[in-house]
Amino acid sequence: VRRILVCANWKMHGTVASVQAYLETLIAQAGAADAEIVLCPPFTLLPAALLIATGSSVAIGAQNCHWADKGAFTGEVAAPMLAELGVRFAIVGHSERRHHFGETDATAAARAQAAQRAGLAVIFCLGETLAQRDAGETFAVLERGLLVGAYEPRWAIGTGRNATPAQAQEAHTALRRRARELFGDEAAERLRILYGGSVKPDNTAALLAGNDVDGALVGGASLDAEGFCAIIHAGPGRRSGA
Ligand code: 13P
């Protein structure tokens, strides 16, 4: 049985003042939710978020981490530094990292390994561009990138244009099939594959209806606490393994 995971990715938004009010709303509502809930604010807000979320059912994650445990990498943050704070998750390989900062499957994989070494759970993002989808390369892109995953078709991120539930389920099924080949049946059944890309309160239930869609990675719509809570409550809490 896979527990649904709903993750808010604030990207480069938020203030210390806003994280306090947001988490108070989220924590008040999260207790009643069956799904696992994660907030990934910018690095600067992690200490405040962790302090507020202590003892609650909301976990805190980072939006990235470096592949080295320490070293001369100005401006980067190492996974052990995050773990020391109490951070439990790390998003790795997000499409915005790939698009704006030259992240590749190889660097993303190295970051994911560093996160795992530090004991962080990895939310590994992968997904095709619109050109790749139009060229029929979706499954090749997914196969190349697979570790553990959040499927985020790049044409659906911040565009208001989400994948249809059928497109999401089809991609997730392919990812799980590939995971089965790479890691075996048991690991593939445990793997939670999240969908990300223009998830909103009103499309969550349909997107999460697919048997292989085990949660959501939410960008824009996660910035509003009430809206994010509506997303949490719109989905099922658990997915029975196939
Ligand atoms: P949007 O929900 O704003 O499309 O962003 C998706 C995303 O990138 C989540 O990480």
Side-chain angles (χ1 to χ4, degrees), residues 9 11 91 94-96 152 156-159 196-200 217-221:
N9 173 13
K11 308 188 178 182
I91 296 174
H94 192 278
S95 73
E96 284 148 16
E152 296 211 309
I157 292 178
T159 59
S198 299
V199 174
K200 304 273 184 288
L217 185 52
V218 189

